Amino acid sequence: MYAENDVMGEIQFKGKSHVEKTSGVWVDGGYVGYLKELKGSKKVLLLPGEHVISVRQDGYQDFTERILVQPGQKELVRVAMEKAATGPLSDVTATVKIAVNPSRAAVFLDGLFVGHVGEFEGPGRGMLVAPGTHQIRIALPGYQTFETDINPLANQNVEIKTDLVMNGAPLAGPWSRRTQVPPHHHHLSFVRQPGLHSVEMQTEAGKSATF
């Protein structure tokens, strides 16, 4: 999709606000990145013919447009996101913070795109979720997808840390598991090389668990 060729056409994107510029872009059902980064070395080049462009943002209706790509031509897609009707957020929530490299990777909660890693890392940032079981998936073209399940309690803080592994990179050794169980404290970590994956949970009472 990205190898430049005289036969291929280029898709350019334009968004009017921060909402559009940070929205995720899919081409023919495959995630390609977030809107404002799809230029220069990350520009989208497609074979001639009809393609389906979808743009998604948490809390907004999906933007979908069919385009006809011509050989060697540029096609501009103007994206305008519209607010979606959403129900009230539960009064009882848990907070998920994500620290993943690269930080431009897309984040999916229970199969739905919710934003990018950079939006959920650092002081004062995080994703509010209802207590209970959730699946977190982090994806970026050129990298292996990372998935993990969390089951936070009410008012619990969860932090996910990992380095995505590039496609084709060898995985050194099997999963290793280390467990320590001091009184009233449970610590469980899983390590996979290359890349260290951990999930840490912190309750208001100060108890924590790391996966």
Side-chain angles (χ1 to χ4, degrees):
M1 184 178 293
Y2 297 99
E4 191 158 4
N5 188 304
D6 291 340
V7 174
M8 304 181 82
E10 180 183 347
I11 307 301
Q12 298 180 334
F13 299 90
K14 186 173 183 179
K16 63 181 180 179
S17 73
H18 178 76
V19 170
E20 284 81 14
K21 292 176 182 178
T22 58
S23 295
V25 179
W26 280 254
V27 177
D28 298 331
Y31 177 73
V32 296
Y34 62 96
L35 191 141
K36 70 178 181 181
E37 73 168 346
L38 298 178
K39 55 187 177 181
S41 62
K42 297 183 180 68
K43 64 185 177 183
V44 176
L45 299 173
L46 300 174
L47 289 169
E50 186 176 84
H51 298 274
V52 178
I53 307 294
S54 298
V55 184
R56 298 167 185 164
Q57 178 69 276
D58 186 38
Y60 290 78
Q61 298 178 29
D62 289 357
F63 171 92
T64 302
E65 185 172 313
R66 291 183 178 271
I67 59 171
L68 184 62
V69 175
Q70 301 291 343
Q73 300 296 311
K74 295 180 180 179
E75 184 77 21
L76 178 64
V77 177
R78 299 179 184 274
V79 178
M81 306 298 290
E82 296 184 5
K83 277 277 192 181
T86 57
L89 184 66
S90 171
D91 291 336
V92 180
T93 61
T95 301
V96 181
K97 298 178 72 67
I98 301 174
V100 172
N101 181 43
S103 62
R104 59 189 182 88
V107 179
F108 299 83
L109 174 67
D110 299 330
L112 298 177
F113 174 75
V114 292
H116 301 89
V117 169
E119 300 175 57
F120 306 115
E121 65 178 352
R125 293 185 175 185
M127 173 171 51
L128 297 179
V129 300
T133 302
H134 299 281
Q135 182 195 65
I136 302 291
R137 179 161 55 94
I138 301 173
L140 185 66
Y143 291 81
Q144 297 177 26
T145 298
F146 170 77
E147 294 184 0
T148 189
D149 292 328
I150 61 173
N151 189 16
L153 303 175
N155 302 313
Q156 194 170 41
N157 293 325
V158 179
E159 184 171 24
I160 298 172
K161 296 181 180 180
T162 190
D163 291 325
L164 297 184
V165 178
M166 295 188 69
N167 286 337
L171 296 178
W175 288 90
S176 65
R177 172 172 172 167
R178 300 190 303 274
T179 307
Q180 301 172 349
V181 189
H184 308 297
H185 183 88
H186 301 281
H187 180 93
L188 179 63
S189 66
F190 294 85
V191 180
R192 188 181 188 180
Q193 297 294 339
L196 173 65
H197 309 302
S198 69
V199 178
E200 179 173 316
M201 296 186 181
Q202 182 73 44
T203 66
E204 286 188 330
K207 296 181 181 178
S208 66
T210 301
F211 300 87

